[in-house]
Amino acid sequence: MRGRPIAVVVIGDLARSPRMVNHARELARTGRSVWLVGLRERELDVPAGVRVAPLRAWRTVGGWGVAGAALRMALTFVQLMAALARRRPAAILVQNPPTFPTLTAAWMAGRLVGARLLVDWHNYGWSMLAMRLGKDHAIVRLAARHEGWLARRPAHHFCVSHALESDLQVRFAVSARVLYDRPIELLPASPEGVRLIAVCPAGWTADEDMALLLDALALLTVRDLEIHLTGDGPLRAPLEPRIAALRAAGHSIHTGYLSATGYRELLARCHLGLSLHRSSSGLDLAMKVVDLFAAGVPVCALDYGATLREQVRDGETGFLFRDAGELAALLDRLQRQPAALVPMRERVRESWRGTWSEEWLRVAAPAFEGTC
């Protein structure tokens, strides 16, 4: 290891932040000392050469309401500032969103210790907030101005799509490099039997329309489908009664958080993937689709706009749908004609040969040159 470390920061569960963990892995492979800073709430396969600085979530502090949320953000801000100042990194790579307190604290800590600041734009913080408060809310407008001011502070920017790259340039006069998510490795796949097996990797958050999926399942006329709703999150519990009712009606639905090994084994058995990601900005891409394509699994994806076509080619590597009726019709057709997915699997394999390491070395590595 050489020189001062590099800090990779995400305010979220590190086990559910694979893109940032991948950044840390590649930086360690270049011989850098790397700290991964974030919440460690689930089991995490820490890459070789990477150390973890766990942060506290503060979820039970302050109660509900604006005052409680402000207190939790303030505590996170102070904690993150302290973690970065203590380790004195040469560079800080931060995931955005959330913008506050993450990007704010990273910028201030960088000024304090003389660190180069880099940001990886996954979406906009203000657009995520708008999903809860509405785009015209005063807090959302204030958040957008704050995010725009901070956007001009970092030395380098990465983003997840060309649509987001263009919007950053127009909205904030920021030049970002597109770093597409790619699989760490291509997975062997051997779909089982004739019965259609589908998987929907889910975070059960507001930017995924899992209720639409349940609506579609209720509309199916063919029920020769085994479906796995993986992952966990805040919206899973409220939907459990509907899932139980669908099971009682004869649907084969499996839920639960899987280990990394168990998830890879499931993907290898699946014929079809489902993405219910509903982008808050219309500019980001669903990383869960990358895992599916890595296993050669075609994807039925909720169509939220033109950006999605950077990832899923309708009729070639997957299908796009706009509502529960269209998804139900697709699933009915594929249950009757599962062989239609075979040539699609081959096209997915042909399109997804590149790995994360290759993409990262081409796009991101140059931004870290000269940090020590």
Side-chain angles (χ1 to χ4, degrees):
M1 302 292 178
R2 66 178 187 268
R4 292 164 60 192
I6 293 175
V8 178
V9 179
V10 51
I11 297 301
D13 184 6
L14 293 171
R16 298 175 66 175
S17 305
R19 181 176 168 100
M20 302 308 287
V21 174
N22 290 346
H23 275 295
R25 177 184 294 107
E26 297 305 325
L27 285 164
R29 284 176 176 171
T30 68
R32 304 302 183 94
S33 172
V34 181
W35 282 98
L36 192 55
V37 184
L39 309 184
R40 193 166 184 177
E41 299 179 310
R42 296 185 182 277
E43 181 182 350
L44 173 67
D45 184 11
V46 181
V50 175
R51 289 174 289 179
V52 176
L55 302 179
R56 181 177 171 182
W58 307 106
R59 289 197 178 89
T60 59
V61 175
W64 300 102
V66 175
L71 176 59
R72 289 189 292 274
M73 285 192 291
L75 289 169
T76 300
F77 176 86
V78 172
Q79 184 181 209
L80 179 54
M81 280 283 293
L84 293 173
R86 188 179 307 122
R87 288 161 181 86
R88 298 188 61 82
I92 302 170
L93 172 63
V94 59
Q95 171 185 305
N96 190 75
T99 307
F100 187 87
T102 319
L103 185 52
T104 311
W107 171 67
M108 292 182 68
R111 294 286 299 270
L112 180 67
V113 302
R116 181 185 301 180
L117 180 62
L118 306 92
V119 61
D120 190 359
W121 294 84
H122 296 199
N123 204 337
Y124 290 132
W126 66 265
S127 71
M128 298 290 289
L129 188 61
M131 293 187 74
R132 299 200 306 270
L133 302 179
K135 65 180 181 178
D136 295 324
H137 196 284
I139 293 177
V140 173
R141 293 198 300 270
L142 179 62
R145 288 197 293 271
H146 177 65
E147 193 163 14
W149 185 85
L150 279 172
R152 299 175 180 89
R153 309 304 117 187
H156 297 279
H157 301 261
F158 311 118
C159 64
V160 297
S161 71
H162 281 291
L164 185 51
E165 174 196 27
S166 298
D167 197 79
L168 281 165
Q169 181 64 57
V170 172
R171 188 182 299 273
F172 298 145
V174 162
S175 295
R177 298 201 69 189
V178 178
L179 176 61
Y180 275 131
D181 284 309
R182 287 288 185 265
I184 295 297
E185 59 181 344
L186 299 178
L187 304 174
S190 52
E192 297 182 350
V194 176
R195 188 184 199 191
L196 193 69
I197 303 175
V199 59
C200 179
W204 301 87
T205 52
D207 59 352
E208 289 176 314
D209 199 340
M210 298 301 290
L212 184 153
L213 173 57
L214 302 184
D215 290 341
L217 294 179
L219 294 173
L220 293 180
T221 59
V222 182
R223 295 185 179 178
D224 193 21
L225 171 68
E226 176 185 324
I227 186 166
H228 297 259
L229 310 181
T230 68
D232 200 0
L235 297 186
R236 178 177 160 186
L239 292 174
E240 284 288 0
R242 291 191 60 189
I243 294 171
L246 287 167
R247 287 189 181 118
H251 293 273
S252 177
I253 303 175
H254 304 266
T255 59
Y257 190 89
L258 298 175
S259 67
T261 300
Y263 182 53
R264 286 194 295 270
E265 291 173 351
L266 173 62
L267 293 185
R269 296 193 297 113
C270 286
H271 301 86
L272 182 68
L274 301 171
S275 172
L276 276 296
H277 181 67
R278 188 185 288 281
S279 171
S280 64
S281 64
L283 301 169
D284 62 317
L285 297 173
M287 188 172 179
K288 296 177 183 70
V289 173
V290 176
D291 296 330
L292 295 163
F293 282 163
V297 180
V299 174
C300 284
L302 177 61
D303 188 356
Y304 57 80
T307 305
L308 182 59
R309 287 151 185 79
E310 293 184 36
Q311 191 173 50
V312 180
R313 300 199 304 273
D314 193 21
E316 296 182 34
T317 60
F319 302 98
L320 303 181
F321 61 89
R322 290 167 293 182
D323 54 38
E326 288 187 5
L327 176 56
L330 275 171
L331 293 176
D332 275 336
R333 175 158 63 90
L334 293 173
Q335 286 178 89
R336 294 188 182 99
Q337 301 172 324
L341 292 170
V342 175
M344 190 168 282
R345 295 184 71 90
E346 294 304 313
R347 287 194 290 271
V348 169
R349 285 291 192 193
E350 291 171 4
S351 300
W352 287 76
R353 295 186 183 276
T355 65
W356 170 268
S357 291
E358 293 167 342
E359 186 78 352
W360 190 91
L361 287 171
R362 183 181 68 83
V363 175
F368 292 93
E369 292 176 0
T371 56
C372 60

